[in-house]
Amino acid sequence: MEKVVLVTGANSGIGLALCERLLTEDGQLRLCLACRNTQRGEAARSALLTSHSNAHVDLLHLDVGSVQSVLAAAQEVKARYNRIDFLYLNAGIMPNPHIDLKAFFRGLFSRNVINMFATAEGLLTQQDQLNSDGLQEVFATNLFGHFLLIRELEPLLCRAGHTSRVVWTSSSNARRSAFSIEDLQHRDGSEPYSSSKYASDMLSLALNRHKNSQGLFSSVICPGLVMTNLTYGILPSFFWTLILPIMWLIRIFTNTFTLTPHNGAEALHWLFGQNPESLDPRAKYHSLTSGLGTNYTQARQMDIDEDMAEVLYSKLLELERVVRKKE
């Protein structure tokens, strides 16, 4: 039977690179591109069909930052398919990123330069805002919308005799210090992206606790430092012109500088071929690229508070009940 694979944020960057690699791996896939921008989604679908003319590629309009869009898209998915084998939760935003230029240039000429590029720790802040549902935009898009999608698609993911996979695109920027269980949506902080990614790491662990017995397995990956539209939005274009040669040079000495979407999708693609029972639910699977350009995947233990992960899961279930009452 052909596998059914749904990828959010599939129209560009790592999501599109993953779709290309999956179709190269298995031309019999039923691939669903879940995209917020339908026009860009159509362009991505056309590009994939140009290189894989016999592929089965569907398009789904989905804005994971909108409760109404998630519920409508889930109904459409349930009408199209009778199961889902892989759900890649790749869509994400980092709105209005601001960088501390003094800290950036200080770090650029220090021994901490590699870690600075790899994690952006202490450099980046974002200006978040409320969306039309009254939720913080980053929280809604990067975490809650995906959680709601999983909940809606449970009939296709959790079927007797069927094993399904949920894979989250996380980040090295996911840090416990940026997250507070008392400020779940990060209303009071300045690092909503880091908070949301740490929350997705915790949620993956909680999902495994609650859903493995029903055949659903969750994993988390880090794509490394990849040059995508999200990354390019952090600095003005002339800065990238100046520092990109430095970054390619640094890659000789560190394996976390994957740089291209194809390389960044390595762990996502690697997980496609793995037995879920053999994976470590507390591990984050990192896309890595050697100085000579060889891609590989490495598991690294996550700094996760298991009790907090359970509290997060409960709070998201409660929020789900609240938003459903409004619909």
Side-chain angles (χ1 to χ4, degrees):
M1 295 176 65
E2 63 182 10
K3 292 181 179 178
V4 179
V5 179
L6 191 152
V7 182
T8 71
N11 61 271
S12 64
I14 295 170
L16 181 57
L18 169 65
C19 292
E20 173 67 36
R21 294 187 66 167
L22 290 177
L23 289 177
T24 301
E25 172 86 9
D26 183 354
Q28 300 303 310
L29 288 179
R30 191 85 196 187
L31 183 62
C32 181
L33 314 182
C35 307
R36 179 174 57 180
N37 187 309
T38 304
Q39 185 175 7
R40 292 179 181 176
E42 287 283 7
R45 179 176 181 273
S46 297
L48 291 170
L49 290 175
T50 297
S51 54
H52 304 276
S53 57
N54 295 321
H56 302 288
V57 183
D58 302 326
L59 187 63
L60 175 73
H61 178 256
L62 170 63
D63 178 358
V64 287
S66 164
V67 169
Q68 186 176 20
S69 178
V70 171
L71 295 178
Q75 290 304 311
E76 188 171 342
V77 170
K78 286 184 280 190
R80 288 186 191 179
Y81 313 111
N82 61 11
R83 76 181 197 284
I84 292 177
D85 296 287
F86 281 82
L87 178 58
Y88 283 99
L89 304 176
N90 174 71
I93 59 170
M94 184 192 290
N96 304 309
H98 288 76
I99 191 165
D100 184 334
L101 289 178
K102 289 185 178 179
F104 173 78
F105 282 110
R106 187 166 56 248
L108 190 61
F109 300 102
S110 73
R111 289 180 296 178
N112 194 46
V113 60
I114 293 176
N115 183 68
M116 180 189 74
F117 275 116
T119 67
E121 186 172 356
L123 288 181
L124 285 178
T125 60
Q126 302 96 49
Q127 292 181 347
D128 203 1
Q129 61 184 0
L130 291 178
N131 66 9
S132 59
D133 296 310
L135 303 173
Q136 292 296 129
E137 188 176 28
V138 176
F139 165 83
T141 304
N142 294 2
L143 182 72
F144 183 68
H146 281 136
F147 174 74
L148 186 59
L149 183 64
I150 293 170
R151 293 283 293 161
E152 278 291 302
L153 297 181
E154 278 190 12
L156 305 188
L157 293 165
C158 302
R159 298 183 58 194
H162 174 244
T163 299
S164 64
R165 308 284 299 282
V166 172
V167 184
W168 301 78
T169 299
S170 183
S171 170
S172 59
N173 195 242
R175 297 193 313 280
R176 182 188 292 207
S177 60
F179 178 82
S180 169
I181 197 66
E182 304 304 324
D183 183 19
L184 190 63
Q185 298 189 42
H186 206 76
R187 297 182 189 275
D188 301 325
S190 60
E191 297 181 272
Y193 181 82
S194 180
S195 173
S196 69
K197 291 302 182 180
Y198 182 73
S200 68
D201 293 352
M202 287 196 295
L203 181 53
S204 179
L205 183 62
L207 283 170
N208 281 312
R209 281 188 169 187
H210 289 271
K211 298 299 179 181
N212 279 179
S213 62
Q214 299 175 47
L216 186 154
F217 293 82
S218 181
S219 301
V220 180
I221 75 100
C222 175
L225 178 63
V226 183
M227 305 312 299
T228 64
N229 292 336
L230 188 150
T231 314
Y232 280 118
I234 295 173
L235 288 169
S237 58
F238 71 91
F239 273 105
W240 289 118
T241 302
L242 291 173
I243 67 175
L244 270 176
I246 299 174
M247 293 171 66
W248 281 98
L249 179 63
I250 291 175
R251 198 181 83 167
I252 298 174
F253 306 101
T254 179
N255 54 12
T256 60
F257 279 38
T258 51
L259 298 183
T260 71
H262 176 89
N263 296 346
E266 177 67 22
L268 293 166
H269 177 249
W270 180 83
L271 283 169
F272 182 74
Q274 303 306 305
N275 179 356
E277 287 88 350
S278 68
L279 300 172
D280 183 353
R282 292 185 57 86
K284 181 178 292 186
Y285 292 88
H286 288 250
S287 297
L288 301 172
T289 304
S290 72
L292 297 176
T294 301
N295 294 320
Y296 60 103
T297 298
Q298 185 179 86
R300 298 177 181 176
Q301 290 294 298
M302 296 188 289
D303 175 26
I304 294 294
D305 184 322
E306 295 189 23
D307 293 334
M308 190 182 296
E310 287 299 311
V311 175
L312 170 65
Y313 187 77
S314 297
K315 283 180 174 285
L316 291 176
L317 287 175
E318 178 58 32
L319 181 58
E320 178 195 353
R321 287 189 284 268
V322 171
V323 299
R324 285 185 186 278
K325 288 180 180 179
K326 295 180 180 179
E327 292 299 317

